[in-house]
Structure formats: structure tokens, C-alpha cells
Amino acid sequence: MLTVVLAPFVAAGAAPLLVRLLGHRASFVLALVPAASFLWLVARTDEATPGILESTPWVPGLDVALDFSLDGLSLIFSLLISGIGTLIVVYAGGYLKGHPMLGRFFLFLMMFMGAMQGVVLADNVVSLFVFWELTSLASYLLVGFESSKPAARRAALQALLITGTGGLALLAGLLMLANAGGSWRISDLTGAGSWIQDDPLYLPILILVVLGCFTKSAQWPFHSWLPGAMQAPTPVSAYLHSATMVKAGVYLLARLDPALGGSPEWLWILTGIGGLTMLMGVVFALLETDLKLVLAWTTVSALGTLVFLLGPTHEPGAKAAMAFLLVHALYKGALFMAAGNVDHEAGTRDLTKLGGLMRVMPVTFATAALACVSMAGLPLGLGWVAKELIGAAKIALEDEFGITVIAATLTNLMLFCVAAIVAIVPFTGKPTEPAEHAHEAPWSMLAGPVVLSSLGLVFGMAPNLVADSLIAAATTAVMGRKATLDIVLFKAVDWKFLLTLATFAAGAVLFAFWRRSAARWRAALNPTLDRGPDRGYDHAMAGLAALATWQTRIWQPGLLHRYMAASFAVVTLAVAASLARGDVRFNLSFDGGRLIEWAVFAVTAAAGLVAAFATTRLLAVTALGMLGLGVAMIFMLFGAPDLAITQFMVETLVVVILALVLIRLPGFRLSSRSDRPRWLYGSISVGTGAIVTLLLLGVLAEPFDPRLSEWFGATAVPDAFGHNIVNVILVDFRALDTLGEIIVVFAAALSALAAIGIGARARR
């Protein structure tokens, strides 16, 4: 399994070189990688039902391993990723033939394939999340592949932000889930459902995990990124919608169903949001004129259907979900590639400009028609089997949940109408101008839709080929117990069969009304529907930009005195809070002091006041120099002559250098009082001084600990060969600190030199 996951990444690295050597024919070589994975997985079909576990050490120090698991659920997803991926790679070679960035495209596509294989095969929370985020990154690169187009850049950023934000929620949820379940292995967590649901953090875990899955699988209100992703080239759209990223959220919900499912919260959230999404998606599909967007909105509806079916956590729903997962992958991959053929050969995807393509593109028409048979759920297609299973799931849901599933029935009849639109409108009727110039696509672009649509027909007529090996095996993995699947293609005529026929008839009537009234429907509904989540995304981004501008103006105004004030205020408040919470004693003993000490204190305090109220830079610098000299006198009075001499030298040099620099700078006066609220800065200064004073009094109240000074005295000569202990501390024991101080002084000197240069150029 490690090879299945890593092989696409290796192929991604080799893709640019292969394209440089072979051109678009490199697609045939690259397609061998997913084809080999597909064959390996087919050979392991019988072993997947009990499950295969594989572990490779990754970060042993953190007990993180690349754990992989192959069971019925991961098998069906992995087969779709590798099987459809093989056809997509071949298709992309023909579709993007001659594209200057073909090598880069294959690099992104193969990386995307490997990331999805990692998601569905991972059995470790950490590795699952890593691959999960890789899918977001790869999809961002693929959606924004045509980076010269503003719409593509917007769509790529939108997809990244929505799915990335959901990924952060998922990370928190997975970490809490692992903590509640007591294991990092997903296979262990799925067996600990009772413990997890009894945990007091079950609801936060559920909400966070569901948020991550809903953003990835485009559930309302996070669905807007998926139609926008149609800015990507058609091979990406076909792969994205049929087998990869959009179904990652559905996969994780199905995988975690034994751990999180079965609760009322799980039922209400998945059934409610899933039902709303499946109904909303198909309504939007009826209002679109772009063929790819029509298919994209039906994918939103299909994803809602899958989530809706997983909500009840019962066997009929799981069977229907797994069957519909397979059906949707086959017909949606075929339809997107057929739509790409139409766009590639006719030059447009606009349904209002297409017609009569059946004569010039017969194979594309046949594949689209066969795929739409499954999409509509007509007999002989695999969609008919899935429809029967979904009907059984709806009945079970209604009995258990106590409500009628009207949304699902409405979705079925509208989906029938959409299937008729896709199969009939572009290909029948009077040939339009695009049809006069169109011709059939090359075989590399026909192989994919022909294979996928044919498989839908073959599996529809012989469903036992996939019933036990794929659908029942996946259901077993979801439910955590053995599931069987008995499929009867044509049952007795009963009310359920008659309801199905009525749905078909209602869909046909709706299609007839659509052909006559679609333009009026769009004109009436689009102004309202345009105010949906996609517009909300634009408002959210505009609000985020405004917030960033506001907070940047507040916190990063480019004024040094504001930065210093904020830094001192934060430190002062933090230390004051620590002192208030701690048990601190203060040494308040006072012996009256000597006259010279009072004199030095008065001079130092006066210098500080002058510096605080100075209105010119030169006066402020002079006052600060006097303040420093006062500190040096304090060092002298209390027995530290070496520090005093150093302080004298530093203050003298600083005052002289700053005075020379300030004379050369424009604007000799300090900034206005409105820019410097003296009362605020004065309060911060007094608070900082008070806190430092309290800290010193608290330190003096504690018994003196001479261990450090004794250690310096004992080691200065034998270790550092110096008799001046202060110098030894600075040069040897605190060498890096001293080096840092030198670097700071040097940087300040460079800044001063630059400022002088700017002033000189301004005067010239």
C-alpha cells in the first residue's frame, strides 16, 4: 500500500522530464502508474473484506507511523481513484496536447492522485491529515492552473481558503477524537464508538469533524467553491468530481460512522444539511447554461445525497450510499469528459448555443446518453440499481425518523430533467454554428467516456459483478458488521415501482417546461439566488481585507514610540498580573539616605521629567544623557565603579552621536501632542517604573543566594584565564549576549547612516 500511495508522487517528479522528451505522449507512460495500482487492488479484492493492515515507521520519536488499511471502504475509493485516474491521465494528454505547461499540469495531477490515495488508505490520524491537506494544496494548483485568468485565480483561492479552514477544524476534531478514543489508529477509533460518544467532548468532536468533511465535500453553506472550480481544465473537473477530492469528506464520514454515528446529533446534522444540499444543487443545475456548471451543480446534489444517506447509520442507507458512490463516479466522469470533448471540438459549452452535435460527434453523444441513463436512474443502467437501494433507504429513514423524505423525491425528478438536458439539448435539433465546425474528438479523449459509460451499462445489467466485491464489502466496513446485498433488477409492480415511474414522468414533464421557460426561470430566480454563499464569500473576503487594514493601521502604524509603548504596556500588565496572583513579600526598610544620594536622585528625576516633556529632539537626547549620568552616579555611590565608568562612556558617546545625527535630520521638533497622548505614555511609564520597583523590592526581601557569584569567582581564572570577573562574564560566559549587543549597536549605526543619506538627498 505504501507503493500505491508513493508511486504517483514519484511519477509527479518525473512528469516534466517525460513531457519534455515525449510531448503529450508522456500521458501513456504516466497512466501506467495508476493502471498498475488498479490491477494490484483488483487482485486484493478478496483480502479486503477481512482487511489488510500495513505499517511503516515515519516519526518514531513521536510514535507516528505511516499506517495503511485496505478494507471494503478504502478499496472502492482507491479503485475509483486509480481506475478513473488512468483514463483521466490519457484524456489529459489529448485534451491539453501542445499546451506549454503540460509537464507542470501532470506534476500537479499525479501529486493530487497520490494525496487522495493517502487519504483513503491512511489508518493513522496524523498521516490522514497530512494527505488531507495535500489534496487541498494540489487542488489549488490544479484549479488555478490557468493562472493568467483572474477567475481561475479567484476560484483556486476560494477552494483553498474554504477547504483549508475546514482542515483546521478537522485537525482539532481528530486530535480530540484520538484523545477520547485512546489511539492514533483510525481502525482502533472505529471500534471505540461507545467510549467516544460517552465522552463529554463528543459534541465538539462531532461538530469539528463534520465541519472539515462538509467544507471538503461542498455541503451547504460551503458549497460555493465547487462550481467555481470549473475554471480548471476539464480533465481536472472530471477527476475532481468523479473520484477524488469532493468525495474525501464523504469518505471520512463513512469511515468514522462507527465511532461518531448513531447519535441524534449525527442524524440531524447529516440528514438536514445533506437533504438541503442535494435539493439546492439540482435546482441550481436547472438554472445554468454552462454545460460544465450544470454537471458541477449535480455533483453538489450528489454529495448531499451521499451525506443524507449516511445520516441514519443503518444498513439500507449505507448500501444505498456505497452503490450511489460507484454510480456517480462512473457517470460523472464520463459526462465531464464528454462535455470536455464538446468544448474542445465545438469551441463552446453554452447550452443556448449548442445543438445538432449528434451528427458530427456520434461517439461522444453515445457516451453521454449512456451516462445519462445511469444519472436518471433508468433501467439497464447501474443508476437503476442505486435508485432501488436509495428508495429502500428512504423508506427506512421515514420509518425511523418520523418524517417523509420529500426532498429526496423532488431531487430525483429534477435530476431526471437535468439528465435529459445534458443528453438531448447539445446533440439533437437543428445544427447550430458551433456544430458546423465541430468534429469527433481523438481516441485518447474518447477512451475515458466510452469505458466509464459502458461500465455503467454492464454493471447495470449484471450488478452481481460489483454487488458483493465492492458495494457489500464497503457497506461492511461502514457498518462494522457483515452486510449482504441481494439485487433484483425487476421487482413486482407495487406502489414503489409505480412511484418510480411517476417520478420519471414528472421529470419528463419538467424537461418539457424547462425547454420553453428556462430563460424566464433564470431571469426570475437568479437575482435572488445570486445572494447566496458565493456572494457571502466575496463579502467575507472584503470584510477580512477591511479588518486587516484597520488592525494594521492600529498595530503597525510605522511609529516607533507606539511600538515601544505597546511593548512596555503588555510586559507591565503581564508582570502585574503575575505579582497579583503570587505570594510576594517586599523589603520596605529605609534608613533615610545620605544627602549626596538625595542630590543624585533629584538630578536624575529632574532629567527624566525634562525628557518626558521635551518638545525638541535635541533637548530630549540631552535630558536622557543626564539621566544616564545620574544612573552612573548611583553605580559609583553603591560600589560599582567599573559599571559607572562604562555608563559614563556610553552616555557621552550616545549623546554626542545622536546630537550629530539629529542635526542632520529634517523636522527638528518632536511630533504633535495628538500623535503622542502624553497622559497615556506617562501612565505606561509610571506603571512600568512602579512594577520594576516592586520587583526589586521583592527580590531584596528574599535571602541572598551567592551560588552563582561564587561559581563565577571560582571558575573565572582556571576556565577563562581572567582575573576581572566582570570582563570574564561579558566576554566568555555571556559571549553570545555581548555579540548580540554589538550587532544591535552596529545595526543602529547603519540606520543612522541611512537616515543621514536620505536627508542629504532630500536637501539636494
Side-chain angles (χ1 to χ4, degrees):
M1 283 182 276
L2 181 63
T3 303
V4 171
V5 173
L6 296 183
F9 290 101
V10 176
L17 177 61
L18 288 174
V19 171
R20 194 175 301 130
L21 296 175
L22 303 175
H24 72 281
R25 296 180 182 85
S27 62
F28 303 126
V29 179
L30 293 171
L32 296 176
V33 174
S37 298
F38 180 81
L39 294 176
W40 185 88
L41 291 164
V42 169
R44 300 297 184 279
T45 301
D46 293 337
E47 303 175 36
T49 300
I52 306 173
L53 296 176
E54 180 182 300
S55 181
T56 302
W58 185 20
V59 189
L62 298 177
D63 195 24
V64 177
L66 286 173
D67 297 322
F68 297 109
S69 172
L70 183 66
D71 59 5
L73 181 62
S74 55
L75 175 68
I76 190 172
F77 274 92
S78 193
L79 283 171
L80 292 175
I81 293 166
S82 56
I84 297 179
T86 302
L87 301 173
I88 292 293
V89 172
V90 174
Y91 180 86
Y95 187 87
L96 295 173
K97 179 181 179 181
H99 196 288
M101 294 296 180
L102 184 59
R104 186 175 70 170
F105 175 83
F106 279 128
L107 187 153
F108 298 159
L109 184 65
M110 300 305 292
M111 182 173 71
F112 189 40
M113 184 186 299
M116 273 306 304
Q117 289 284 23
V119 167
V120 301
L121 292 174
D123 192 40
N124 183 281
V125 168
V126 176
S127 57
L128 168 69
F129 179 75
V130 170
F131 288 119
W132 183 279
E133 291 301 285
L134 277 177
T135 62
S136 296
L137 176 61
S139 68
Y140 167 77
L141 297 172
L142 287 168
V143 173
F145 178 69
E146 300 289 349
S147 56
S148 60
K149 299 179 180 178
R153 296 196 299 270
R154 177 193 182 273
L157 182 61
Q158 183 182 23
L160 181 66
L161 290 178
I162 292 178
T163 59
T165 303
L168 294 177
L170 178 66
L171 175 61
L174 289 177
L175 294 177
M176 295 166 64
L177 178 64
N179 183 66
S183 175
W184 293 101
R185 282 182 174 269
I186 299 174
S187 54
D188 294 338
L189 296 175
T190 55
S194 58
W195 298 348
I196 294 171
Q197 296 191 25
D198 290 339
D199 193 280
L201 294 178
Y202 167 72
L203 187 57
I205 293 172
L206 174 62
I207 292 174
L208 291 170
V209 171
V210 164
L211 278 175
C213 295
F214 280 5
T215 54
K216 202 73 149 185
S217 286
Q219 299 298 294
W220 184 90
F222 311 109
H223 62 273
S224 58
W225 71 266
L226 186 55
M230 292 304 96
Q231 295 296 330
T234 298
V236 177
S237 303
Y239 201 30
L240 188 76
H241 286 248
S242 62
T244 52
M245 179 174 155
V246 296
K247 290 190 172 74
V250 173
Y251 164 78
L252 191 56
L253 289 174
R255 174 62 71 197
L256 296 179
D257 191 301
L260 300 176
S263 67
E265 296 85 358
W266 173 278
L267 176 64
W268 279 95
I269 293 173
L270 268 64
T271 305
I273 298 298
L276 177 61
T277 304
M278 72 177 177
L279 184 59
M280 175 210 61
V282 77
V283 169
F284 274 88
L286 289 172
L287 299 175
E288 287 292 346
T289 59
D290 186 305
L291 186 55
K292 279 181 65 174
L293 282 176
V294 171
L295 296 175
W297 280 113
T298 60
T299 298
V300 173
S301 177
L303 294 171
T305 302
L306 289 168
V307 172
F308 176 82
L309 293 172
L310 290 172
T313 313
H314 55 40
E315 191 169 322
K319 289 177 181 178
M322 295 303 102
F324 185 64
L325 171 76
L326 179 60
V327 172
H328 179 262
L330 295 178
Y331 78 69
K332 190 54 63 72
L335 286 176
F336 263 109
M337 285 188 272
N341 291 350
V342 170
D343 187 24
H344 193 271
E345 305 303 333
T348 182
R349 303 191 304 258
D350 192 340
L351 289 172
T352 62
K353 299 178 181 179
L354 291 172
L357 289 174
M358 179 173 60
R359 298 178 180 86
V360 292
M361 304 181 70
V363 179
T364 299
F365 164 69
T367 59
L370 282 178
C372 285
V373 167
S374 287
M375 183 179 181
L378 292 170
L380 300 183
L382 187 56
W384 171 260
V385 176
K387 182 181 286 291
E388 290 299 312
L389 293 174
I390 292 173
K394 287 194 296 181
I395 295 171
L397 175 63
E398 185 175 0
D399 292 342
E400 178 183 323
F401 206 30
I403 63 171
T404 57
V405 194
I406 300 175
T409 304
L410 292 175
T411 300
N412 285 338
L413 71 90
M414 285 190 284
L415 194 61
F416 181 93
C417 177
V418 174
I421 293 170
V422 174
I424 295 173
V425 172
F427 299 101
T428 62
K430 183 179 179 181
T432 58
E433 182 180 351
E436 295 176 358
H437 306 287
H439 54 80
E440 190 58 88
W443 75 267
S444 59
M445 296 173 61
L446 292 173
V450 166
V451 170
L452 294 180
S453 59
S454 299
L455 286 176
L457 182 63
V458 171
F459 293 155
M461 293 188 294
N464 289 328
L465 292 174
V466 294
D468 293 329
S469 58
L470 292 182
I471 299 174
T475 305
T476 298
V478 173
M479 299 305 299
R481 59 180 182 270
K482 181 67 175 178
T484 58
L485 190 62
D486 296 324
I487 297 177
V488 179
L489 286 179
F490 297 101
K491 298 182 180 180
V493 177
D494 55 10
W495 69 269
K496 292 182 289 184
F497 181 77
L498 294 176
L499 179 61
T500 300
L501 295 181
T503 303
F504 292 155
V509 172
L510 181 62
F511 174 68
F513 276 104
W514 178 90
R515 299 206 76 168
R516 280 191 268 176
S517 309
R520 293 199 301 272
W521 295 354
R522 296 187 193 104
L525 294 176
N526 278 342
T528 301
L529 297 177
D530 282 345
R531 297 187 178 94
D534 192 58
R535 181 70 62 86
Y537 167 80
D538 291 332
H539 289 317
M541 294 303 296
L544 182 63
L547 175 63
T549 302
W550 174 80
Q551 68 91 19
T552 301
R553 188 170 58 249
I554 296 297
W555 296 110
Q556 298 181 6
L559 300 174
L560 181 60
H561 58 271
R562 288 194 185 180
Y563 296 155
M564 294 184 65
S567 300
F568 278 110
V570 170
V571 171
T572 299
L573 291 174
V575 175
S578 299
L579 289 177
R581 294 174 57 187
D583 183 14
V584 183
R585 294 174 297 170
F586 300 106
N587 183 4
L588 300 177
S589 61
F590 181 63
D591 58 2
R594 295 175 292 172
L595 178 61
I596 189 171
E597 293 174 358
W598 281 105
V600 171
F601 171 76
V603 171
T604 305
L609 291 174
V610 171
F613 292 97
T615 58
T616 65
R617 293 191 180 97
L618 187 59
L619 179 59
V621 169
T622 304
L624 286 176
M626 289 296 298
L627 184 63
L629 294 178
V631 173
M633 290 297 296
I634 293 174
F635 290 154
M636 288 286 293
L637 292 174
F638 289 93
D642 50 352
L643 291 178
I645 294 172
T646 303
Q647 184 75 12
F648 278 127
M649 293 177 62
V650 170
E651 290 298 332
T652 303
L653 288 173
V654 167
V655 170
V656 171
I657 293 172
L658 284 179
L660 292 174
V661 171
L662 292 176
I663 291 174
R664 308 281 298 189
L665 289 177
F668 197 68
R669 299 187 63 81
L670 291 171
S671 55
S672 64
R673 289 180 178 270
S674 61
D675 186 51
R676 285 190 178 194
R678 299 297 179 93
W679 64 270
L680 177 61
Y681 291 165
S683 301
I684 294 174
S685 301
V686 171
T688 303
I691 288 297
V692 172
T693 301
L694 291 175
L695 282 176
L696 291 175
L697 292 175
V699 170
L700 293 175
E702 298 296 325
F704 179 69
D705 188 351
R707 287 179 296 173
L708 186 59
S709 57
E710 291 174 354
W711 183 85
F712 281 133
T715 57
V717 175
D719 289 351
F721 307 102
H723 292 275
N724 189 322
I725 298 178
V726 174
N727 288 347
V728 168
I729 293 173
L730 293 175
V731 177
D732 293 285
F733 295 122
R734 289 178 52 195
L736 291 177
D737 185 35
T738 305
L739 177 62
E741 293 173 356
I742 295 172
I743 292 173
V744 168
V745 173
F746 183 69
L750 289 178
S751 301
L753 180 61
I756 293 172
I758 293 173
R761 286 195 297 272
R763 285 193 298 275
R764 287 198 296 270

